[in-house]
């Protein structure tokens, strides 16, 4: 007798992660979190893009809800998956920059965020990966928060420094930022 094997495309994880992201973009944060957590329950290790999506989006949801511990947890969880995919890595860097521009962050964090925004722009230009309106608006707000704490010169120096990075350097710095103990 032939055994019927469930094809991979019937895995509910990817559509759950995508719907969770749509809900995040719509501001339906609790529903988004619920779907993203369900996605993580059923996603397979080989679903790298969707693991990166779900975990990065959970970090974004935590940032919106002011749960900075959870945001850092999900950023750490997302990192190994996000670095394997160009678009997901850029979106991950946006979330990490968002974490760094939090009100309780110091000037050094804002400079690191400015470097990340430089790297984000470079990677975006190199890959042709653009942002949807959700991330365009979010990045504008986050850049404004970073610039509030920095002089024009400090902003430009940090931004240009990040713009000079290659992808590998961005990956390395992101990993270093996540290892920090404080906050």
């Amino acid at each position: 007798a032939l055994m019927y094997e469930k094809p991979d495309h019937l895995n509910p994880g990817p559509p759950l992660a995508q719907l969770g992201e749509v809900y995040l973009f719509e501001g339906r944060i609790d529903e988004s979190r619920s779907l993203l957590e369900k996605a993580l329950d059923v996603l397979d290790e080989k679903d790298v893009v969707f693991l990166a999506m779900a975990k990065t989006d959970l970090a974004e949801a935590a940032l919106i809800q002011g749960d900075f511990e959870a945001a850092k947890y999900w950023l750490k969880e997302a990192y190994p998956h996000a670095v394997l995919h160009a678009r997901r890595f850029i979106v991950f860097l946006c979330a990490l920059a968002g974490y760094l521009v939090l009100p309780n962050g110091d000037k050094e964090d804002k400079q690191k965020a400015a470097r990340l925004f430089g790297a984000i722009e470079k990677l975006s230009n190199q890959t042709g990966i653009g942002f949807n309106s959700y991330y365009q608006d979010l990045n504008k707000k986050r850049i404004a928060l970073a610039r509030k704490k920095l002089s024009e010169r400090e902003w430009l120096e940090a931004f240009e420094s990040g713009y000079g990075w290659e992808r590998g350097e961005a990956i390395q710095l992101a990993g270093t930022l996540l290892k920090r103990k404080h906050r």
Side-chain angles (χ1 to χ4, degrees), residues 6 8-22 35-36 38-40 42-44 46-51 53-54 57:
K6 188 176 86 162
D8 263 0
H9 65 271
L10 293 182
N11 175 352
L16 284 170
Q18 288 170 313
L19 190 57
E21 183 161 90
V22 169
L35 285 170
L36 295 166
K38 281 183 187 132
L40 289 178
V42 291
L43 282 168
D44 195 278
K46 65 182 184 296
D47 297 320
V48 172
V49 172
F50 298 101
L51 288 167
M53 176 188 287
D57 290 349

Side-chain angles (χ1 to χ4, degrees), residues 19-159:
L19 190 57
E21 183 161 90
V22 169
Y23 281 6
L24 174 72
F25 294 163
E26 291 177 352
R28 297 161 67 177
I29 306 308
D30 290 330
E31 290 162 288
S32 170
R33 285 182 56 191
S34 169
L35 285 170
L36 295 166
E37 286 165 6
K38 281 183 187 132
L40 289 178
D41 288 339
V42 291
L43 282 168
D44 195 278
E45 270 309 301
K46 65 182 184 296
D47 297 320
V48 172
V49 172
F50 298 101
L51 288 167
M53 176 188 287
K55 292 174 179 184
T56 303
D57 290 349
L58 281 164
E60 289 287 12
L63 287 172
I64 290 165
Q65 294 184 320
D67 187 346
F68 308 136
E69 288 285 302
K72 186 163 187 187
Y73 170 81
W74 286 117
L75 286 166
K76 282 182 171 179
E77 287 288 308
Y79 176 78
H81 307 290
V83 297
L84 301 173
H85 186 265
R87 172 180 292 281
R88 285 290 131 196
F89 182 57
I90 293 172
V91 172
F92 169 83
L93 290 179
C94 294
L96 182 56
Y99 177 76
L100 289 169
V101 298
L102 292 173
N104 59 343
D106 57 17
K107 187 175 184 174
E108 196 186 328
D109 283 339
K110 306 301 183 266
Q111 284 173 309
K112 286 175 180 154
R115 279 190 217 111
L116 286 177
F117 282 117
I120 288 164
E121 184 152 315
K122 166 133 179 222
L123 292 169
S124 182
N125 290 344
Q126 278 182 337
T127 57
I129 293 170
F131 291 105
N132 61 22
S133 59
Y134 180 83
Y135 271 103
Q136 287 171 10
D137 295 345
L138 200 54
N139 285 341
K140 270 187 205 137
K141 285 179 196 145
R142 289 171 172 175
I143 287 169
L145 285 172
R147 292 184 85 140
K148 251 188 222 164
K149 294 272 191 208
L150 303 172
S151 71
E152 187 60 23
R153 186 167 163 228
E154 288 168 326
W155 165 262
L156 280 173
E157 281 177 2
F159 185 90

